[in-house]
């Protein structure tokens, strides 16, 4: 009778030990993966990225203007030669330049 009680206590203690180990492990994992807020200081760290963004938006707008002018010249030459394929290609170039100009303008207005 005493041996049965001892074995039952050992079995229950083993189950409690496993449950405690699992609970402690889950708590440790939860605290280890807890998100920690990280804040950037003033404008010191992000200033170079803002400068790069501004430069890229300016370059995109300038490239758009160049594409529109180049497409206009191509369209004039193709129109003079009565080349329909050249006219279509030039119109696509003009549209691409307009998209670049519009994109840079929208990004500039939004302050992105």
């Amino acid at each position: 009778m005493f041996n049965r009680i001892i074995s039952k206590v050992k079995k229950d203690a083993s189950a409690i030990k496993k449950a405690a180990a699992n609970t402690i492990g889950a708590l440790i994992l939860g605290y280890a993966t807890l998100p920690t807020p990280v804040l950037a200081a003033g404008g010191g760290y992000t200033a170079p990225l803002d400068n790069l963004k501004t430069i890229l938006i300016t370059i995109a707008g300038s490239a758009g203007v160049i594409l529109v002018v180049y497409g206009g010249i191509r369209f004039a030459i193709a129109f003079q030669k009565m080349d329909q394929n050249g006219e279509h290609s030039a119109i696509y170039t003009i549209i691409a330049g307009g998209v670049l100009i519009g994109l840079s303008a929208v990004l500039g207005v939004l302050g992105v």
Side-chain angles (χ1 to χ4, degrees):
M1 177 90 176
F2 185 71
N3 287 337
R4 241 186 331 167
I5 293 173
I6 295 286
S7 66
K8 190 172 182 179
V9 168
K10 282 183 181 180
K11 190 168 91 172
D12 289 344
S14 174
I16 291 172
K17 181 179 172 184
K18 286 180 185 178
N22 289 338
T23 304
I24 291 171
L27 286 173
I28 290 173
L29 182 64
Y31 281 117
T33 59
L34 186 68
T36 305
V38 178
L39 305 174
Y45 294 116
T46 59
L49 292 177
D50 291 338
N51 292 340
L52 180 64
K53 175 192 64 171
T54 305
I55 289 171
L56 290 177
I57 289 173
T58 305
I59 288 173
S62 302
V65 170
I66 291 169
L67 279 175
V68 168
V69 170
Y70 176 69
I73 292 170
R74 282 183 54 194
F75 183 80
I77 291 171
F79 185 77
Q80 184 181 16
K81 292 182 179 180
M82 296 294 184
D83 180 20
Q84 280 188 336
N85 290 333
E87 288 176 7
H88 291 303
S89 176
I91 289 173
Y92 289 142
T93 304
I94 292 171
I95 291 172
V99 167
L100 276 175
I101 292 170
L103 184 66
S104 66
V106 167
L107 289 177
V109 167
L110 292 177
V112 172

